Amino acid sequence: MNKIRKNDRVVVITGKDKGRQSTVLQVLANGKALVQGVNVAKKHQKPNPNLGIQGGVIEKEMPIQISNLMVLNPSTNKGERVGFKILDDGKKVRVFKSSGERVDA
């Protein structure tokens, strides 16, 4: 179970986009994640008339290390560390380390 998942609200804690808050689009297997509007690079794209792709310079989100992200706590509006807790029914859930409240709730 990963500490950061798809559709989580996260805040970037280091790098050129430090402090930016956004949503996780995809979590990759190599310990990186695609975050909307974060770590954007310009890519020169060749046109492909068969697929209807127009050429030119496009902006594309590049992967960012998961270690550079923290899950955003909506009650404090800050990035916080995440841990795991096993409920009485045996279900494993993510909780914020500071308050103990559930991440998904």
Side-chain angles (χ1 to χ4, degrees), residues 7-62:
N7 295 326
D8 277 349
R9 291 283 299 166
V10 294
V11 60
V12 180
I13 58 173
T14 187
K16 67 179 185 179
D17 294 314
K18 181 178 180 177
R20 189 168 291 179
Q21 299 176 2
S22 193
T23 307
V24 176
L25 299 174
Q26 181 182 4
V27 177
L28 304 174
N30 60 355
K32 295 186 178 189
L34 287 175
V35 182
Q36 184 176 2
V38 173
N39 198 22
V40 177
K42 292 188 185 240
K43 182 177 185 286
H44 292 74
Q45 187 167 356
K46 205 171 177 182
N48 188 343
N50 295 333
L51 298 177
I53 297 173
Q54 190 174 7
V57 180
I58 61 165
E59 290 189 346
K60 180 179 180 183
E61 286 102 0
M62 301 303 287

